[in-house]
Amino acid sequence: MNEYYSPYKIAHHEEKIKQLKKGKMIAPTFAQVDLTNSCNLNCSFCSYKIGNYSSDHMKDFNVRDRLDKNLIFNLLYDTKHKFFFNELKALEWTGGGEPCLHPDHKEIFNFAKDFSYEQALVTNGSLLDDETIDIIKDFSWVRFSIDASMEETYEKIKGKNLFKKAIGNPENIVGFSFIVCRDNYQEIYESTRLAKSLGCDNVRFSLAYTPKGEGMFKGIWDETVEQINKAKQEETKDFKVFAFSNRINEVAQKTKNDACYFHEFVAVIGANGAVYPCCLLKYDPRFNFGNLKDKSFEKIWFGEKRKKFTNKIRKGCDYSCWMTEKNNFVSYLLEKNPKHVNFI
């Protein structure tokens, strides 16, 4: 069982399922937070650099934006003690940009730790110092964005040769992330072997989302799948290979959800302080529900703009994404009279 990325984890939140059955708005369990939009690398496939891959409306994105540490402290304190009362349990520090480029990231991580939040980090790994490494040892998971098995490929994709630095602390690379593009698809298998040799417990492959859509993989898709299948053979009890099943359909904007519930469990906060429905629609001003600089998180989350969006999206989502299995499972749990439930 793929417990890390299981679509069935929502089943552990029965009380929220009960609230959804009654048509209520629920508090989030998990928040994805962009500390900063700045980055020390220049990845060729970066959707923030080249524009939103779905609608080209990512006009809220500004590379200079970063969250003020006191805004974060207030957010974490309020969600723990003033509203939601510990319903927000987990935080993923992500981007946007590189979280460890935020000047106060260590203080922020420690503050969240003091308030007993579960934490996770998505990082390129090139900026970690001993103090940060010591802090993130307590995180639930850490995923390093490596995207290559060789220095030459790494530099070609990322614009800088920080490959050795990025993989220089193997005991802290719990997850090895690899975004597949035309420049690295032939290194899928070798990157799997590299991740395994570094002592990672998993490698995660996903497809680059760019304005080219599925055109990015024209002529290389069969070999990409072959590489993935070969990589899967490296799996053991202690080392997992997570890969897209048929995400080419998602890249091609062909996978739609009859209803979206994922965004109700996960809060997405940009480095500009705004709250969005999901990472796909982040920094699109049409889906900016409000800014933490002006309103409390509670007022934004249960505000009229988000409520209107939620009521609409419960009836069907216009956007293609990779949360289809999770949304289908929630939809099934919310069925009033599911058929043949005793014929297990």
Side-chain angles (χ1 to χ4, degrees), residues 70-284:
N70 290 317
L71 183 148
I72 300 172
F73 293 166
N74 290 335
L75 168 69
L76 299 185
Y77 177 85
D78 288 350
T79 53
K80 184 69 72 170
H81 295 293
K82 285 190 176 180
F83 46 82
F84 299 161
F85 298 104
N86 206 34
E87 288 194 66
L88 181 66
K89 299 179 182 297
L91 303 167
E92 176 187 330
W93 308 111
T94 184
E98 165 53 46
C100 294
L101 202 59
H102 192 291
D104 303 310
H105 69 275
K106 298 171 191 175
E107 192 176 350
I108 292 166
F109 295 167
N110 279 324
F111 186 92
K113 179 181 178 181
D114 290 342
F115 277 75
S116 301
Y117 286 99
E118 294 179 54
Q119 295 185 77
L121 174 66
V122 179
T123 176
N124 62 44
S126 66
L127 297 175
L128 297 183
D129 57 23
D130 290 342
E131 186 180 356
T132 304
I133 290 170
D134 189 59
I135 294 169
I136 66 175
K137 283 179 180 177
D138 294 328
F139 281 20
S140 297
W141 55 267
V142 178
R143 190 165 69 233
F144 281 37
S145 304
I146 307 298
D147 309 313
S149 66
M150 299 189 299
E151 286 186 72
E152 296 82 358
T153 307
Y154 183 96
E155 184 173 9
K156 182 178 182 181
I157 290 172
K158 296 179 177 291
K160 292 183 182 178
N161 188 0
L162 296 175
F163 182 71
K164 289 182 179 178
K165 171 64 175 175
I167 65 171
N169 296 290
E171 68 274 14
N172 298 290
I173 308 179
V174 178
F176 185 114
S177 177
F178 188 109
I179 296 179
V180 181
C181 65
R182 297 192 75 87
D183 291 326
N184 64 9
Y185 74 97
Q186 292 179 315
E187 294 181 26
I188 289 173
Y189 176 66
E190 287 304 322
S191 289
T192 304
R193 287 172 56 84
L194 172 62
K196 198 172 184 179
S197 71
L198 289 171
C200 303
D201 65 17
N202 71 87
V203 58
R204 179 181 182 268
F205 295 100
S206 54
L207 301 182
Y209 278 67
T210 73
K212 293 180 180 179
E214 73 272 34
M216 164 76 79
F217 304 96
K218 186 176 182 180
I220 67 170
W221 182 246
D222 288 345
E223 187 175 347
T224 298
V225 172
E226 184 180 326
Q227 286 263 337
I228 288 291
N229 290 337
K230 189 176 179 182
K232 290 287 286 182
Q233 295 174 17
E234 293 292 323
E235 276 198 329
T236 66
K237 178 173 67 72
D238 300 315
F239 179 74
K240 301 298 180 184
V241 178
F242 302 117
F244 44 83
S245 50
N246 192 17
R247 284 197 178 177
I248 196 70
N249 282 332
E250 290 151 15
V251 174
Q253 298 292 295
K254 294 178 182 178
T255 306
K256 306 292 183 182
N257 292 293
D258 292 333
C260 177
Y261 295 99
F262 178 79
H263 81 279
E264 303 199 47
F265 290 84
V266 182
V268 174
I269 301 170
N272 57 350
V275 178
Y276 299 93
C278 63
C279 61
L280 182 71
L281 302 178
K282 188 166 54 176
Y283 298 116
D284 187 328

